[in-house]
Amino acid sequence: MSRVALVTGGSRGIGAAISIALKNAGYKVAANYAGNDEAAAKFTDETGIPTYKWDVSSYESCVEGIAKVEADLGPVEVLVNNAGITRDGMFHKMTPDQWNAVINTNLTGLFNMTHPVWSGMRDRSFGRVINISSINGQKGQAGQANYSAAKAGDLGFTKALAQEGAMKGITVNAICPGYIGTEMVRAIPEKVLNERIIPQIPVGRLGEPEEIARCVVFLASDDAGFITGSTLSANGGQFFV
Ligand SMILES: NC(=O)c1ccc[n+]([C@@H]2O[C@H](COP(=O)([O-])OP(=O)(O)OC[C@H]3O[C@@H](n4cnc5c(N)ncnc54)[C@H](OP(=O)(O)O)[C@@H]3O)[C@@H](O)[C@H]2O)c1
């Protein structure tokens, strides 16, 4: 029987690559998204992966959304917390709204999504929780106090929960991508990319969404059962912890 995997923000960017890679690896996949219905419909047409709209920053919406996914596909055994947003600004100009939006989605979203599936994973003595953090949660980034704080928080959450899940067959790990060639990053002017960003990356290129997706497929697999509480950096050598 194929396992059920739920990917938040699974209809675009890195999340779309994760959803597709998990499907190709034999999982029954559900992809959540926030509001871009057009992108979600196109993604489902192209991949056959069902999409489910709810906001991970709302606990009640997560409970309802997960219940729908489980009614359609079965209990969630692999949860990939990938949904994330940026609301950048230098700290002296950052508004409480910018702070709260990023913390509520990128950090509280992990509580909201993981809590409703956790008891089921414990009862079945199996689970995989994979949190997509960021290089900027490891090293900090000017203009991203909110994002860096949330993504660093994701790493603490990962380590604490890994200790609780270990005796119950549940692993909890994080992946910290560096610059990945998603639409958002590719929209940066080529001159800025070539002169300011790529020179910071020792391998000399952006990462591909599929490279993050392959990390997820590995961490979700039975082969990764001894790996928990870890942070996998996939950043082309840009930053070592
Ligand atoms: N791109 C990079 O270089 C990079 C580097 C390091 C870490 N990351 C992390 O990797 C993850 C994916 O990034 P990305 O660049 O692929 O993002 P993206 O292309 O902007 O896609 C974000 C996805 O998350 C969904 N989403 C956003 N807010 C949500 C919410 N409140 N509830 C449910 N879904 C929500 C979006 O849904 P809609 O389509 O409906 O908007 C979309 O499917 C994020 O956590 C990001 O912080 C990215």
Side-chain angles (χ1 to χ4, degrees):
M1 272 278 283
S2 39
R3 287 188 171 132
V4 174
L6 170 56
V7 183
T8 67
S11 59
R12 285 201 292 122
I14 294 171
I18 294 170
S19 298
I20 292 166
L22 286 169
K23 184 184 181 208
N24 291 342
Y27 293 84
K28 282 194 271 180
V29 179
N32 146 273
Y33 71 103
N36 189 334
D37 296 320
E38 200 181 321
K42 185 164 178 272
F43 176 77
T44 299
D45 279 352
E46 286 172 2
T47 63
I49 296 170
T51 45
Y52 296 81
K53 177 158 110 173
W54 75 82
D55 177 356
V56 299
S57 71
S58 155
Y59 186 77
E60 291 70 29
S61 304
C62 291
V63 170
E64 270 176 38
I66 290 166
K68 269 187 215 138
V69 169
E70 295 200 327
D72 292 349
L73 303 183
V76 173
E77 291 160 296
V78 176
L79 171 65
V80 185
N81 285 312
N82 164 81
I85 58 168
T86 51
R87 296 287 183 273
D88 295 353
M90 294 302 279
F91 188 64
H92 61 284
K93 292 187 179 164
M94 187 172 282
T95 63
D97 283 350
Q98 283 174 302
W99 175 266
N100 289 330
V102 169
I103 297 293
N104 292 345
T105 300
N106 298 10
L107 177 57
T108 309
L110 270 60
F111 172 83
N112 295 342
M113 283 301 303
T114 310
H115 195 259
V117 301
W118 190 251
S119 294
M121 288 180 174
R122 282 171 54 91
D123 292 346
R124 292 185 300 275
S125 298
F126 179 85
R128 296 281 188 265
V129 178
I130 300 159
N131 300 319
I132 308 302
S133 175
S134 169
I135 184 174
N136 291 344
Q138 297 173 299
K139 72 173 185 59
Q141 177 61 48
Q144 290 196 322
N146 49 3
Y147 184 85
S148 299
K151 292 297 188 180
D154 293 345
L155 301 181
F157 175 80
T158 299
K159 290 172 197 170
L161 210 54
Q163 293 178 35
E164 294 192 23
M167 292 300 288
K168 291 287 184 185
I170 308 169
T171 67
V172 186
N173 291 289
I175 298 170
C176 285
Y179 278 102
I180 306 300
T182 55
E183 271 171 53
M184 183 182 73
V185 171
R186 293 211 184 276
I188 297 172
E190 205 168 319
K191 191 171 155 63
V192 177
L193 265 180
N194 289 336
E195 291 177 15
R196 301 225 333 246
I197 293 179
I198 291 177
Q200 295 175 35
I201 308 172
V203 303
R205 64 173 176 85
L206 300 174
E208 295 298 331
E210 291 73 19
E211 293 182 296
I212 304 305
R214 287 196 287 274
C215 299
V216 171
V217 171
F218 171 64
L219 289 172
S221 72
D222 287 341
D223 287 344
F226 201 57
I227 302 173
T228 193
S230 74
T231 299
L232 182 51
S233 298
N235 61 31
Q238 191 183 345
F239 183 73
F240 303 133
V241 183

